[in-house]
Amino acid sequence: MTKVLVATEKPFAPVAVKGIREAVENAGFELALLEKYTSKAELLEAVKEADAIIIRSDIIDAEVLDAAERLKIVVRAGAGYDNVDLAAASARNVCVMNTPGQNSNAVAELVFGLLVFAIRGFYNGAAGTELKGKKLGIHAYGNVGRNVARVAKGFGMEVYAYDAYCPAEAMEKDGVKPVGSADELYSACQIVSLHIPATPETKNSINFELLNKMPKGGILINTARKEVIDEAGIQKMLQERPDFKYITDIKPAIDAELAANYPGRYFSTPKKMGAQTAEANINAGIAAANQIVDFLENGNEKFRVNN
Ligand code: 3PG
Protein backbone atom coordinates (compact mmCIF):
# COMPACT_ATOMS: atom_id res chain seq x y z
CA MET A 1 0.00 0.00 0.00
CA THR A 2 1.16 3.56 -0.73
CA LYS A 3 2.61 5.00 2.46
CA VAL A 4 2.67 8.70 3.38
CA LEU A 5 4.99 9.59 6.26
CA VAL A 6 4.59 12.75 8.33
CA ALA A 7 8.07 13.39 9.75
CA THR A 8 7.98 16.43 12.01
CA GLU A 9 10.52 17.10 14.72
CA LYS A 10 8.21 20.01 15.68
CA PRO A 11 4.77 18.37 15.45
CA PHE A 12 1.63 19.79 13.87
CA ALA A 13 -1.37 20.48 16.13
CA PRO A 14 -3.38 17.22 16.60
CA VAL A 15 -6.32 18.73 14.68
CA ALA A 16 -4.03 19.20 11.66
CA VAL A 17 -2.76 15.60 11.88
CA LYS A 18 -6.41 14.47 11.91
CA GLY A 19 -7.06 16.41 8.68
CA ILE A 20 -3.90 15.04 7.05
CA ARG A 21 -4.93 11.51 8.03
CA GLU A 22 -8.38 11.98 6.48
CA ALA A 23 -6.95 13.32 3.21
CA VAL A 24 -4.43 10.46 2.99
CA GLU A 25 -6.80 7.65 4.01
CA ASN A 26 -9.65 8.91 1.81
CA ALA A 27 -7.27 8.41 -1.12
CA GLY A 28 -6.71 4.81 0.00
CA PHE A 29 -3.17 5.46 1.25
CA GLU A 30 -1.64 4.63 4.62
CA LEU A 31 -0.41 7.32 7.05
CA ALA A 32 2.68 6.87 9.23
CA LEU A 33 3.71 9.38 11.90
CA LEU A 34 7.18 10.26 13.18
CA GLU A 35 6.83 13.18 15.57
CA LYS A 36 9.28 14.82 18.00
CA TYR A 37 12.12 12.58 16.87
CA THR A 38 15.45 13.32 18.46
CA SER A 39 17.94 11.57 16.19
CA LYS A 40 18.59 11.28 12.48
CA ALA A 41 18.66 7.49 12.92
CA GLU A 42 14.92 7.56 13.73
CA LEU A 43 14.23 9.52 10.56
CA LEU A 44 16.40 7.18 8.45
CA GLU A 45 14.45 4.20 9.80
CA ALA A 46 11.02 5.82 9.31
CA VAL A 47 11.57 6.85 5.67
CA LYS A 48 12.49 3.30 4.53
CA GLU A 49 9.01 2.38 3.30
CA ALA A 50 7.65 5.84 2.54
CA ASP A 51 6.37 6.70 -0.93
CA ALA A 52 5.75 10.29 0.14
CA ILE A 53 6.92 12.44 3.05
CA ILE A 54 5.45 15.56 4.64
CA ILE A 55 7.99 17.63 6.57
CA ARG A 56 8.41 21.05 8.17
CA SER A 57 11.95 22.34 8.84
CA ASP A 58 13.16 18.72 8.95
CA ILE A 59 16.41 18.10 7.08
CA ILE A 60 16.09 15.96 3.97
CA ASP A 61 19.60 15.37 2.66
CA ALA A 62 21.18 12.78 0.36
CA GLU A 63 21.52 10.26 3.20
CA VAL A 64 17.80 10.46 4.01
CA LEU A 65 16.91 10.23 0.32
CA ASP A 66 19.12 7.15 -0.08
CA ALA A 67 17.39 5.48 2.86
CA ALA A 68 13.99 6.17 1.29
CA GLU A 69 14.16 3.75 -1.62
CA ARG A 70 10.45 4.00 -2.54
CA LEU A 71 10.24 7.77 -2.23
CA LYS A 72 8.56 9.73 -5.02
CA ILE A 73 7.68 13.04 -3.39
CA VAL A 74 8.61 15.26 -0.42
CA VAL A 75 6.32 18.13 0.51
CA ARG A 76 7.62 20.82 2.83
CA ALA A 77 4.44 21.96 4.64
CA GLY A 78 5.45 25.60 4.64
CA ALA A 79 7.26 28.17 2.56
CA GLY A 80 11.04 27.84 2.86
CA TYR A 81 12.62 24.68 1.43
CA ASP A 82 16.28 25.38 2.23
CA ASN A 83 16.15 22.27 4.46
CA VAL A 84 15.81 19.96 1.44
CA ASP A 85 18.73 19.04 -0.81
CA LEU A 86 16.99 19.79 -4.10
CA ALA A 87 19.81 18.59 -6.35
CA ALA A 88 20.04 15.28 -4.49
CA ALA A 89 16.26 14.87 -4.79
CA SER A 90 16.33 15.60 -8.52
CA ALA A 91 19.19 13.15 -9.02
CA ARG A 92 17.02 10.45 -7.41
CA ASN A 93 13.92 11.45 -9.37
CA VAL A 94 12.12 12.67 -6.24
CA CYS A 95 9.72 15.59 -6.62
CA VAL A 96 9.97 18.35 -3.98
CA MET A 97 7.13 20.79 -3.31
CA ASN A 98 6.25 23.48 -0.77
CA THR A 99 2.85 24.88 0.19
CA PRO A 100 3.29 28.61 -0.43
CA GLY A 101 1.08 31.04 1.49
CA GLN A 102 -0.52 28.46 3.77
CA ASN A 103 1.19 29.57 6.98
CA SER A 104 1.94 33.20 6.14
CA ASN A 105 -0.77 34.84 8.25
CA ALA A 106 0.53 33.04 11.34
CA VAL A 107 4.07 34.32 10.73
CA ALA A 108 2.81 37.85 10.09
CA GLU A 109 0.82 37.87 13.34
CA LEU A 110 3.90 36.79 15.29
CA VAL A 111 5.84 39.73 13.82
CA PHE A 112 3.46 42.08 15.63
CA GLY A 113 3.47 40.00 18.80
CA LEU A 114 7.24 40.39 18.90
CA LEU A 115 7.16 44.01 17.84
CA VAL A 116 4.79 45.23 20.56
CA PHE A 117 6.85 43.26 23.10
CA ALA A 118 9.99 45.03 21.82
CA ILE A 119 8.68 48.61 21.76
CA ARG A 120 7.12 48.20 25.22
CA GLY A 121 10.55 47.39 26.65
CA PHE A 122 9.91 43.65 26.97
CA TYR A 123 7.04 44.54 29.36
CA ASN A 124 9.46 45.84 31.99
CA GLY A 125 7.02 48.34 33.48
CA ALA A 126 8.67 51.47 32.03
CA ALA A 127 6.98 53.68 29.40
CA GLY A 128 7.46 52.27 25.91
CA THR A 129 6.43 53.58 22.50
CA GLU A 130 3.68 52.86 19.95
CA LEU A 131 3.64 51.47 16.43
CA LYS A 132 1.23 54.09 15.09
CA GLY A 133 3.00 56.52 12.79
CA LYS A 134 6.27 54.53 12.76
CA LYS A 135 7.95 53.56 9.50
CA LEU A 136 8.02 49.81 8.92
CA GLY A 137 10.32 48.35 6.26
CA ILE A 138 9.33 44.98 4.85
CA HIS A 139 12.37 43.21 3.41
CA ALA A 140 10.93 40.94 0.69
CA TYR A 141 7.32 41.25 -0.36
CA GLY A 142 6.11 37.67 -0.69
CA ASN A 143 3.19 35.99 1.05
CA VAL A 144 4.37 36.82 4.57
CA GLY A 145 5.48 40.35 3.62
CA ARG A 146 2.05 41.12 2.18
CA ASN A 147 0.31 39.91 5.34
CA VAL A 148 2.68 42.00 7.46
CA ALA A 149 1.77 45.06 5.37
CA ARG A 150 -1.95 44.40 5.84
CA VAL A 151 -1.66 44.17 9.64
CA ALA A 152 0.76 47.13 9.84
CA LYS A 153 -1.80 49.38 8.21
CA GLY A 154 -4.27 48.42 10.94
CA PHE A 155 -1.72 49.71 13.46
CA GLY A 156 -1.47 52.99 11.50
CA MET A 157 2.14 52.40 10.43
CA GLU A 158 3.78 53.89 7.34
CA VAL A 159 4.77 50.85 5.30
CA TYR A 160 7.75 50.57 2.94
CA ALA A 161 9.01 47.48 1.13
CA TYR A 162 11.98 46.31 -0.88
CA ASP A 163 11.90 43.22 -3.07
CA ALA A 164 14.06 42.88 -6.17
CA TYR A 165 11.65 40.29 -7.58
CA CYS A 166 8.31 42.03 -6.90
CA PRO A 167 7.01 44.79 -9.17
CA ALA A 168 6.53 48.21 -7.51
CA GLU A 169 2.89 48.29 -8.69
CA ALA A 170 2.04 45.23 -6.56
CA MET A 171 3.24 47.11 -3.47
CA GLU A 172 1.57 50.39 -4.44
CA LYS A 173 -1.74 48.58 -4.95
CA ASP A 174 -1.52 47.56 -1.27
CA GLY A 175 -0.74 51.11 -0.13
CA VAL A 176 2.92 50.21 0.44
CA LYS A 177 5.79 52.48 -0.65
CA PRO A 178 8.32 50.60 -2.79
CA VAL A 179 12.00 51.49 -2.43
CA GLY A 180 14.77 50.62 -4.88
CA SER A 181 17.33 48.94 -2.61
CA ALA A 182 17.90 47.33 0.77
CA ASP A 183 20.11 50.31 1.68
CA GLU A 184 17.19 52.68 1.07
CA LEU A 185 14.82 50.52 3.11
CA TYR A 186 17.09 50.31 6.16
CA SER A 187 17.96 54.03 5.94
CA ALA A 188 14.28 55.02 5.90
CA CYS A 189 12.76 52.67 8.46
CA GLN A 190 13.15 52.49 12.22
CA ILE A 191 11.63 49.00 12.18
CA VAL A 192 12.55 46.34 9.61
CA SER A 193 10.85 42.95 9.30
CA LEU A 194 12.84 40.31 7.44
CA HIS A 195 11.13 37.95 4.98
CA ILE A 196 13.93 36.91 2.63
CA PRO A 197 14.58 33.21 2.00
CA ALA A 198 17.93 31.61 2.84
CA THR A 199 19.74 31.24 -0.49
CA PRO A 200 23.43 31.44 -1.44
CA GLU A 201 22.80 35.11 -2.34
CA THR A 202 21.08 36.10 0.91
CA LYS A 203 23.23 34.18 3.38
CA ASN A 204 24.97 36.59 5.82
CA SER A 205 23.59 39.50 3.78
CA ILE A 206 22.10 41.34 6.77
CA ASN A 207 25.34 42.79 8.06
CA PHE A 208 26.60 45.67 10.18
CA GLU A 209 27.00 48.03 7.23
CA LEU A 210 23.36 47.61 6.25
CA LEU A 211 21.93 47.61 9.79
CA ASN A 212 23.92 50.67 10.81
CA LYS A 213 21.92 52.67 8.26
CA MET A 214 18.83 52.29 10.45
CA PRO A 215 17.60 55.44 12.21
CA LYS A 216 17.90 55.84 15.99
CA GLY A 217 15.83 53.30 17.90
CA GLY A 218 16.21 50.71 15.14
CA ILE A 219 14.51 47.33 15.61
CA LEU A 220 15.17 44.30 13.41
CA ILE A 221 12.56 41.53 13.54
CA ASN A 222 13.61 38.20 12.05
CA THR A 223 10.92 35.60 11.42
CA ALA A 224 12.70 34.39 8.27
CA ARG A 225 15.95 32.41 8.63
CA LYS A 226 18.99 32.66 10.89
CA GLU A 227 21.32 32.05 7.95
CA VAL A 228 20.56 35.44 6.37
CA ILE A 229 22.04 37.23 9.40
CA ASP A 230 25.73 38.01 9.68
CA GLU A 231 26.08 37.14 13.37
CA ALA A 232 29.26 39.18 13.85
CA GLY A 233 27.39 42.13 12.33
CA ILE A 234 24.43 41.78 14.72
CA GLN A 235 26.83 41.54 17.64
CA LYS A 236 28.65 44.67 16.52
CA MET A 237 25.35 46.53 16.09
CA LEU A 238 24.20 45.62 19.60
CA GLN A 239 27.60 46.64 20.95
CA GLU A 240 28.00 49.93 19.12
CA ARG A 241 24.37 51.06 18.96
CA PRO A 242 22.76 51.00 22.42
CA ASP A 243 19.52 52.15 20.76
CA PHE A 244 19.26 49.00 18.58
CA LYS A 245 17.16 45.90 19.28
CA TYR A 246 17.28 42.49 17.61
CA ILE A 247 14.22 40.27 18.00
CA THR A 248 14.25 36.87 16.38
CA ASP A 249 12.12 33.77 16.00
CA ILE A 250 15.18 31.72 15.03
CA LYS A 251 17.92 31.28 17.61
CA PRO A 252 21.38 32.27 16.35
CA ALA A 253 24.44 30.21 17.30
CA ILE A 254 25.44 33.07 19.62
CA ASP A 255 22.04 33.17 21.40
CA ALA A 256 23.37 32.65 24.94
CA GLU A 257 26.01 35.32 24.49
CA LEU A 258 23.57 37.89 23.12
CA ALA A 259 20.98 37.12 25.80
CA ALA A 260 23.59 37.58 28.55
CA ASN A 261 25.16 40.75 27.12
CA TYR A 262 22.11 42.60 25.81
CA PRO A 263 19.12 42.01 28.09
CA GLY A 264 16.17 44.16 27.06
CA ARG A 265 17.57 44.59 23.55
CA TYR A 266 17.88 41.02 22.32
CA PHE A 267 15.16 38.38 22.41
CA SER A 268 14.73 35.00 20.75
CA THR A 269 11.76 32.67 20.99
CA PRO A 270 12.85 29.32 22.48
CA LYS A 271 11.72 27.48 19.32
CA LYS A 272 10.67 28.83 15.90
CA MET A 273 7.03 29.77 16.55
CA GLY A 274 6.03 31.76 13.45
CA ALA A 275 4.02 29.02 11.77
CA GLN A 276 3.11 27.26 15.00
CA THR A 277 -0.66 27.83 15.10
CA ALA A 278 -3.46 25.31 14.67
CA GLU A 279 -4.70 27.25 11.64
CA ALA A 280 -1.31 27.33 9.89
CA ASN A 281 -0.73 23.65 10.68
CA ILE A 282 -4.14 22.74 9.25
CA ASN A 283 -3.67 24.88 6.14
CA ALA A 284 -0.11 23.77 5.34
CA GLY A 285 -0.48 20.15 6.50
CA ILE A 286 -3.68 19.41 4.60
CA ALA A 287 -2.43 21.28 1.51
CA ALA A 288 0.68 19.05 1.63
CA ALA A 289 -1.46 15.90 1.91
CA ASN A 290 -3.70 16.99 -0.98
CA GLN A 291 -0.69 17.86 -3.15
CA ILE A 292 0.74 14.39 -2.52
CA VAL A 293 -2.54 12.69 -3.45
CA ASP A 294 -2.87 14.83 -6.60
CA PHE A 295 0.73 14.10 -7.57
CA LEU A 296 0.54 10.35 -7.02
CA GLU A 297 -2.88 10.00 -8.66
CA ASN A 298 -2.74 12.59 -11.44
CA GLY A 299 0.90 13.65 -11.76
CA ASN A 300 0.07 17.26 -10.77
CA GLU A 301 3.38 19.08 -10.20
CA LYS A 302 2.02 22.60 -9.71
CA PHE A 303 4.01 23.37 -6.56
CA ARG A 304 7.21 21.57 -7.59
CA VAL A 305 10.37 23.50 -6.60
CA ASN A 306 13.13 21.21 -7.94
CA ASN A 307 14.01 20.37 -11.55
C1 3PG B 1 8.29 28.26 6.65
O1 3PG B 1 9.29 28.31 5.93
O2 3PG B 1 7.19 27.86 6.23
C2 3PG B 1 8.35 28.77 8.08
O3 3PG B 1 9.65 29.15 8.40
C3 3PG B 1 7.79 27.81 9.11
O4 3PG B 1 8.65 26.75 9.40
P1 3PG B 1 8.21 25.57 10.39
O5 3PG B 1 7.17 24.75 9.69
O6 3PG B 1 9.44 24.80 10.65
O7 3PG B 1 7.64 26.17 11.63
Side-chain angles (χ1 to χ4, degrees):
M1 194 192 257
T2 300
K3 198 167 179 176
V4 178
L5 170 72
V6 174
T8 46
E9 181 271 322
K10 184 173 61 186
F12 290 121
V15 62
V17 177
K18 187 168 173 275
I20 294 169
R21 182 178 294 284
E22 273 165 21
V24 168
E25 291 181 353
N26 285 344
F29 302 158
E30 186 191 337
L31 186 83
L33 270 183
L34 175 69
E35 293 181 316
K36 293 189 191 170
Y37 58 93
T38 50
S39 71
K40 189 174 185 181
E42 288 172 80
L43 179 62
L44 292 173
E45 182 60 31
V47 300
K48 271 186 184 160
E49 293 183 348
D51 298 277
I53 308 178
I54 297 174
I55 51 158
R56 296 185 64 176
S57 292
D58 308 81
I59 308 289
I60 301 295
D61 58 15
E63 192 185 1
V64 176
L65 293 164
D66 281 338
E69 285 178 8
R70 282 167 42 178
L71 191 64
K72 294 158 196 74
I73 177 168
V74 176
V75 181
R76 193 284 190 239
Y81 44 86
D82 46 306
N83 48 320
V84 182
D85 186 335
L86 297 186
S90 300
R92 290 157 183 79
N93 204 19
V94 171
C95 173
V96 182
M97 295 185 186
N98 65 349
T99 64
Q102 300 289 352
N103 60 17
S104 44
N105 181 67
V107 180
E109 287 191 12
L110 185 72
V111 168
F112 291 90
L114 294 172
L115 203 40
V116 172
F117 174 66
I119 61 164
R120 298 291 182 109
F122 295 13
Y123 305 142
N124 65 358
T129 55
E130 299 180 17
L131 293 179
K132 190 175 174 188
K134 299 279 185 315
K135 289 181 178 159
L136 171 70
I138 300 178
H139 193 165
Y141 204 66
N143 288 309
V144 182
R146 280 198 288 275
N147 275 286
V148 169
R150 172 178 55 77
V151 181
K153 284 193 290 171
F155 274 101
M157 300 186 82
E158 219 182 299
V159 188
Y160 293 72
Y162 169 65
D163 188 328
Y165 304 97
C166 176
E169 302 79 62
M171 299 174 188
E172 282 159 353
K173 181 174 72 52
D174 295 343
V176 171
K177 293 171 192 153
V179 298
S181 68
D183 278 9
E184 250 185 272
L185 190 77
Y186 286 72
S187 304
C189 300
Q190 182 189 341
I191 299 164
V192 173
S193 187
L194 270 177
H195 302 293
I196 52 176
T199 64
E201 293 75 45
T202 63
K203 279 185 184 165
N204 298 322
S205 64
I206 310 303
N207 55 27
F208 177 77
E209 204 195 343
L210 181 63
L211 292 170
N212 199 30
K213 296 190 188 309
M214 293 182 81
K216 198 168 167 10
I219 302 174
L220 179 70
I221 303 276
N222 183 8
T223 55
R225 288 291 181 273
K226 69 172 191 293
E227 291 80 3
V228 303
I229 301 287
D230 171 33
E231 294 193 355
I234 274 287
Q235 207 161 17
K236 189 167 178 207
M237 259 311 269
L238 285 162
Q239 205 167 33
E240 294 190 7
R241 290 264 310 256
D243 61 297
F244 175 76
K245 289 181 179 152
Y246 179 49
I247 312 294
T248 179
D249 189 29
I250 315 100
K251 265 191 200 308
I254 52 171
D255 168 68
E257 201 178 327
L258 296 185
N261 292 337
Y262 307 104
R265 294 202 289 126
Y266 167 77
F267 174 80
S268 172
T269 54
K271 193 152 197 145
K272 185 156 66 118
M273 292 299 296
Q276 200 57 328
T277 65
E279 292 88 339
N281 290 175
I282 291 168
N283 294 343
I286 296 176
N290 288 335
Q291 286 171 215
I292 285 172
V293 172
D294 205 12
F295 173 79
L296 293 176
E297 287 184 344
N298 311 311
N300 188 339
E301 297 193 351
K302 182 170 174 204
F303 294 103
R304 185 172 186 135
V305 293
N306 64 329
N307 298 319

